[in-house]
Structure formats: structure tokens, C-alpha cells
Amino acid sequence: MLEKERQINKAIGQQIRAQRRALNISQSMLAAHIGVSFQQLQKIEIGKNRVSAARLLLISQYFDIPLMDFYC
């Protein structure tokens, strides 16, 4: 994986974590909604694993925010 990709994955993961915490949603709740384990969600939030476009869309719908908010 290229360094630029790592930075993007980390930034998206940080946005997911920040939004999840702001809405007081547990990792287990969000993970169940998008069909992954909470351990997988932990890895997504720290940028170790990337989130698929489909799952990112599910997350944005669950949070009721525009998808593009994760790319800022």
C-alpha cells in the first residue's frame, strides 16, 4: 500500500471514529450495522484496514451525514 493510501485510510478512519463518538454510538453497534466485527471496525478507525465504498455509504447513512464528510 502506498503511503498516500495509508494517510487517506487513516484520515477516513479518524472521521468515522470522531462522528461515532459524537453520536455516542459504540463500536459494536456500528460494526453490527455495517456487517463487520468490532475488531474490524477498530482497524478501520485507526487506518490499518481500509473501508469499502459500500460500507462507507452504510456508515454515512447510519450517521445521517453526507458521504463526502469523510473526505474532508
Side-chain angles (χ1 to χ4, degrees):
M1 183 181 321
L2 298 173
E3 181 58 30
K4 187 67 172 171
E5 288 178 53
R6 285 188 194 102
Q7 291 172 357
I8 292 167
N9 292 337
K10 188 173 181 177
I12 291 171
Q14 289 171 344
Q15 290 290 336
I16 293 169
R17 176 174 279 176
Q19 189 66 36
R20 179 182 60 75
R21 287 181 171 174
L23 296 171
N24 200 29
I25 297 169
S26 71
Q27 284 181 325
S28 295
M29 289 172 55
L30 179 56
H33 181 75
I34 65 170
V36 300
S37 67
F38 82 91
Q39 294 95 337
Q40 176 70 14
L41 182 59
Q42 286 176 326
K43 291 177 182 179
I44 289 170
E45 287 186 348
I46 64 171
K48 187 170 183 175
N49 291 357
R50 69 180 72 156
V51 61
S52 71
R55 285 204 168 101
L56 192 57
L57 179 60
L58 288 173
I59 293 168
S60 72
Q61 291 170 341
Y62 188 68
F63 291 162
D64 195 28
I65 63 172
L67 183 61
M68 291 305 295
D69 282 8
F70 294 108
Y71 294 100
C72 298

